[in-house]
Amino acid sequence: MIVTIDGPAGAGKSSAARRLARRLGFSFLDTGAMYRAVALAGRRQGVDWENPPELSALAAGLRLELTDDRIFMNGEDVTEAIRTLEITTLTQFAADNEAVRRRLIDQQRKFAEGRNIVTEGRDQATVVFPHAECKIFLTASEEERARRRFQDLLARGEEVDLEEVLKKQRVRDQRDVERQFGGLAKAADSIEMVTDGLSPEQVVDRLEEIVRAHQH
Ligand code: DC
């Protein structure tokens, strides 16, 4: 069974999807981490961000391995390194790159072969797994999402300003929605869930109910 969870940044997708997968005994796939890893590789190699083929050539040589809670790039654990504010911003270049997307989409489909998964991203229900048995669109208000991201970054020891996080989030939201290929969109057959005011526990409980109702 494939469960897709799409939605904007900061809606609480990652932690909810990971916990949901654990409860169901499914594998978890964090597709945002894959785009982030490509951006990290680009940053380290000093690619010219204005020249997309450079980044896609680099991505072609990357070996990404994902477990339920870690991501390895050519064998190196980059789970923390991909979460900085700088990489978060640069990840747009990976996400906007069609050749990179095609490559990552292939890898995502391979990952799903022969197993039950909860997969999380922007285009999982619309592009990558249009035949998924259960599709969820998880969202929250702009302010709530920015507050969560802010607290996340603080906890990671980054110096951040809430207004700044909100501003950057607006830019990312817009780019996510306007992206030609794989842009953020709710699939017609997705169930929308707004997480404002809900505890992480409540979100997972509700998600589990939705999935169980789709299992047969
Ligand atoms: O969910 P996240 O914040 O880790 O995602 C990082 C970026 O990658 C985000 O700006 C959108 C992009 N992304 C994407 O384009 N498609 C996906 N399936 C997942 C993430």
Side-chain angles (χ1 to χ4, degrees):
M1 181 182 196
I2 294 177
V3 178
T4 61
I5 301 187
D6 292 299
K13 293 191 306 293
S14 283
S15 61
R18 182 173 280 116
R19 292 174 64 185
L20 175 68
R22 207 169 291 148
R23 279 200 198 176
L24 297 167
F26 286 17
S27 294
F28 170 62
L29 180 61
D30 177 357
T31 63
M34 301 170 82
Y35 289 94
R36 287 169 177 272
V38 171
L40 176 66
R43 170 78 179 79
R44 286 182 176 175
Q45 286 290 313
V47 296
D48 175 1
W49 298 107
E50 303 308 321
N51 183 19
E54 256 188 58
L55 187 65
S56 48
L58 178 63
L62 285 184
R63 184 166 44 86
L64 298 179
E65 286 156 293
L66 286 98
T67 66
D68 285 351
D69 53 10
R70 317 294 306 171
I71 175 162
F72 299 85
M73 185 169 81
N74 294 337
E76 177 193 348
D77 185 341
V78 293
T79 311
E80 275 81 35
I82 61 169
R83 299 276 156 206
T84 64
L85 205 48
E86 185 195 15
I87 297 303
T88 299
T89 305
L90 290 173
T91 298
Q92 291 294 344
F93 292 101
D96 285 346
N97 187 311
E98 193 166 329
V100 168
R101 294 202 78 88
R102 289 194 188 284
R103 180 164 295 276
L104 295 185
I105 288 169
D106 276 353
Q107 292 179 17
Q108 290 157 20
R109 289 184 179 143
K110 284 214 179 75
F111 182 93
E113 273 170 21
R115 47 176 151 182
N116 293 316
I117 68 164
V118 174
T119 179
E120 180 247 310
R122 305 290 188 285
D123 57 348
Q124 299 300 289
T126 50
V127 174
V128 188
F129 301 109
H131 303 299
E133 289 89 340
C134 182
K135 301 178 173 182
I136 293 154
F137 192 80
L138 204 67
T139 187
S141 68
E142 188 179 77
E143 295 75 19
E144 173 104 9
R145 293 190 287 116
R147 213 165 26 242
R148 288 179 190 161
R149 180 73 70 178
F150 172 71
Q151 268 149 11
D152 234 42
L153 290 164
L154 273 190
R156 277 172 227 280
E158 294 224 17
E159 277 200 26
V160 278
D161 172 69
L162 181 57
E163 271 308 304
E164 187 66 18
V165 172
L166 185 60
K167 245 196 308 192
K168 286 197 162 137
Q169 178 181 278
R170 278 198 189 122
V171 174
R172 274 210 309 151
D173 278 356
Q174 195 174 355
R175 281 182 74 161
D176 278 356
V177 168
E178 287 174 354
R179 185 167 297 120
Q180 292 289 317
F181 180 66
L184 174 66
K186 180 182 168 297
D189 52 350
S190 280
I191 296 167
E192 180 165 338
M193 187 175 157
V194 180
T195 64
D196 281 63
L198 296 180
S199 70
E201 198 64 25
Q202 288 171 318
V203 174
V204 184
D205 285 347
R206 178 80 192 100
L207 289 174
E208 188 180 358
E209 274 172 33
I210 295 172
V211 176
R212 300 264 184 227
H214 283 74
Q215 274 178 323
H216 31 242

